[in-house]
Amino acid sequence: MTHCYPEGRTRRLYRSRKGMIFGVCAGLADYLNLKVVWVRVIAVIILLFTGIWPIVVIYLVAALIMNPEPVLPLETEEAQEFYSSYTSSRSLALQRLKRTFDSLDRRVQRIETAVTNKEYDWERRLHEGS
């Protein structure tokens, strides 16, 4: 499961959405451009040689730290920035969306005011008759 990255874009480490448990091994395999099987085999070997708890703790910490893979590919820096802000702080991302929505709402209100203004209607009628 390797992804095509747009030219000039760097790879990012994400938890895969198609992983077996939390997607850590699949995400690491995608990042390192390896087959998932080999990453899982290495994880099992480390599990056997270090004992169960160290690798389980490392795996769980990695699952908590790594952001989930985006559902759609992030093609612009702005999309990447928004996704990073959303996954790190949802409240900040929601505030950003609210500011954007409020700005768009103000613009639409100004357009509606201009179009529904009586002077606009007279101006339109005047130009239609010419």
Side-chain angles (χ1 to χ4, degrees), residues 58-106:
I58 291 170
Y59 189 86
L60 291 175
V61 168
L64 291 172
I65 291 174
M66 292 169 65
N67 290 333
E69 177 183 27
V71 176
L72 299 173
L74 303 173
E75 298 188 7
T76 65
E77 282 296 320
E78 186 176 287
Q80 176 63 47
E81 177 186 328
F82 176 75
Y83 184 74
S84 295
S85 71
Y86 178 74
T87 55
S88 63
S89 174
R90 287 177 174 84
S91 62
L92 289 175
L94 290 174
Q95 287 174 1
R96 181 177 171 188
L97 278 176
K98 184 174 179 356
R99 281 193 311 269
T100 303
F101 176 76
D102 289 343
S103 172
L104 288 172
D105 189 42
R106 283 191 301 274

Side-chain angles (χ1 to χ4, degrees), residues 36-52:
V36 178
V37 172
W38 295 114
V39 174
R40 289 184 180 142
V41 166
I42 292 169
V44 169
I45 290 171
I46 292 171
L47 176 87
L48 294 174
F49 283 110
T50 63
I52 293 175

